[in-house]
Amino acid sequence: MQTFQHPKDASHWCQQQRDNGKTIGFVATMGALHDGHLELVQRAKRENDVVCVSIFVNPLQFNNAQDLAKYPRTFSDDCAKLERIHCDMVFSGEIDDFFANELDKTSPLPIAPLACLGLEEEFRPGHFQGVWKIVEQLFITVGNCRAYFGNKDFQQVMLVKELADYLRAQPNAQKPDIDIVACETIRETTGLALSSRNLRLSETQRAQALIIYETLNNTKKLWQQGERHGVVLESYMQKAIAQSELKLEYAAIRDPNQWSATTPSWRLQQAQALIAGYIGDIRLIDNMPLH
Ligand code: AMP
């Protein structure tokens, strides 16, 4: 496995692969790799000739300095895990290596993404601006590829699809053509969605966190019994969580085909249930399609 500490070297390697007629699968991560990340890498490996992974804890997407400081950093362990599953290349870098100048880092986004309507954006203002900024640079670094993202971060998948569409629509020939592949959420046998932040949960907190999966699952049961009203499904979720240790930010229903900042008032044909909250000082998010 090739390891590069500078995006320029990674970019050069990717271009060489394409020159040799190889297709590239790409997985963007912030490290502290778990089986959810590794599943994305393995799928990318199955569906492409070579696979590369970025490991970069992006300061632009943290709006809480403590959360950034406490984010686990396990680079050499991560590389060992990637090597074991035959990843071809891993790269990292410093924030300034990814941007030509300061303005590129901070300028407003060129479009107002739909993904920025409500929920994550409401509770983490500016988070998606930071995600867009770095993922755009990661895509430019890797170039034409299939990029694999987890549905666990549902709004993020919407955002990177909008980013890929935006890049594709640019007349500038240097903008890459990125095919986004959305992958299912990988869970522990208990149902808890795998997350790098789980490393910080105590045994007790890990048990308390199960309320998230249980609530999503029970909401799905309501849907299966015929309930189609967002407000009813949401109030069920909120009541279920009210008695738990989860400090709720949101428990919401959205129509994945008509994303909006508020609960849909129409009778739903498709619905996504989404939850975010804190167990102690650890922020957890999860979601589930009900249809
Ligand atoms: P992160 O390192 O948290 O930025 O995540 C990197 C990628 O892995 C993102 O596309 C995430 O959505 C994805 N991911 C994280 N956790 C999971 C999971 N439990 N199942 C599937 N994908 C995941």
Side-chain angles (χ1 to χ4, degrees):
M1 183 175 75
Q2 292 276 348
T3 307
F4 297 117
Q5 297 294 345
H6 200 289
K8 263 200 195 117
D9 299 323
S11 193
H12 181 67
W13 182 92
C14 290
Q15 192 51 51
Q16 274 182 338
Q17 303 304 312
R18 275 187 298 272
D19 290 347
N20 290 336
K22 300 205 163 149
T23 58
I24 300 177
F26 170 53
V27 181
T29 81
M30 298 205 298
L33 301 183
H34 51 64
D35 286 349
H37 296 115
L38 299 184
E39 189 62 39
L40 300 186
V41 177
Q42 281 166 317
R43 179 162 173 197
K45 181 89 189 170
R46 283 197 300 276
E47 297 178 0
N48 300 278
D49 297 322
V50 292
V51 58
C52 68
V53 172
S54 62
I55 296 182
F56 179 65
V57 182
N58 171 27
L60 301 179
Q61 73 186 66
F62 285 82
N63 42 2
N64 175 330
Q66 279 211 337
D67 193 23
L68 173 61
K70 285 187 185 158
Y71 202 85
R73 288 163 174 85
T74 56
F75 189 76
S76 48
D77 277 3
D78 292 343
C79 287
K81 286 180 184 166
L82 291 172
E83 186 129 40
R84 245 177 269 138
I85 58 167
H86 310 294
C87 173
D88 298 282
M89 187 269 272
V90 57
F91 71 98
S92 185
E94 299 296 324
I95 180 84
D96 288 331
D97 300 337
F98 286 100
F99 294 93
N101 56 52
E102 220 26 52
L103 191 65
D104 279 359
K105 230 182 337 189
T106 52
S107 56
L109 300 188
I111 62 164
L114 262 186
C116 292
L117 291 177
L119 305 189
E120 284 300 291
E121 182 62 28
E122 188 183 333
F123 287 92
R124 302 182 77 186
H127 168 69
F128 284 137
Q129 157 118 6
V131 172
W132 175 294
K133 287 285 173 183
I134 195 68
V135 174
E136 181 175 22
Q137 295 310 315
L138 293 172
F139 285 169
I140 290 170
T141 299
V142 174
N144 296 358
C145 66
R146 289 198 190 94
Y148 295 76
F149 287 84
N151 267 334
K152 170 171 174 288
D153 299 285
F154 191 79
Q155 277 175 277
Q156 176 170 277
V157 170
M158 287 178 37
L159 183 86
V160 296
K161 282 184 176 165
E162 290 181 84
L163 168 58
D165 286 345
Y166 165 78
L167 291 173
R168 212 173 287 120
Q170 295 312 297
N172 176 348
Q174 292 196 337
K175 298 287 186 189
D177 189 350
I178 311 290
D179 186 9
I180 304 290
V181 185
C183 304
E184 71 172 294
T185 302
I186 306 298
R187 301 177 181 282
E188 293 183 354
T189 43
T190 58
L192 180 66
L194 296 186
S195 163
S196 304
R197 288 190 168 89
N198 294 357
L199 284 176
R200 296 182 47 227
L201 293 170
S202 68
E203 277 312 304
T204 312
Q205 288 176 323
R206 201 168 264 275
Q208 292 168 345
L210 290 182
I211 185 71
I212 300 175
Y213 179 69
E214 275 167 24
T215 304
L216 292 170
N217 234 353
N218 290 336
T219 311
K220 187 169 183 160
K221 284 185 191 141
L222 275 185
W223 175 275
Q224 285 165 345
Q225 287 158 18
E227 182 55 62
R228 292 292 181 272
H229 291 97
V231 176
V232 176
L233 292 161
E234 253 180 26
S235 83
Y236 166 77
M237 291 167 82
Q238 286 158 7
K239 272 192 206 128
I241 289 169
Q243 293 124 37
S244 78
E245 299 299 321
L246 184 73
K247 277 174 269 150
L248 189 64
E249 283 194 333
Y250 60 78
I253 298 291
R254 292 289 179 271
D255 186 332
N257 296 319
Q258 289 186 66
W259 191 262
S260 62
T262 51
T263 312
S265 53
W266 51 92
R267 196 183 148 77
L268 291 159
Q269 293 192 346
Q270 297 208 339
Q272 202 75 20
L274 306 103
I275 295 178
Y278 282 85
I279 293 285
D281 66 345
I282 303 158
R283 187 172 191 272
L284 300 174
I285 66 170
D286 200 353
N287 70 87
M288 190 181 278
L290 303 184
H291 47 272

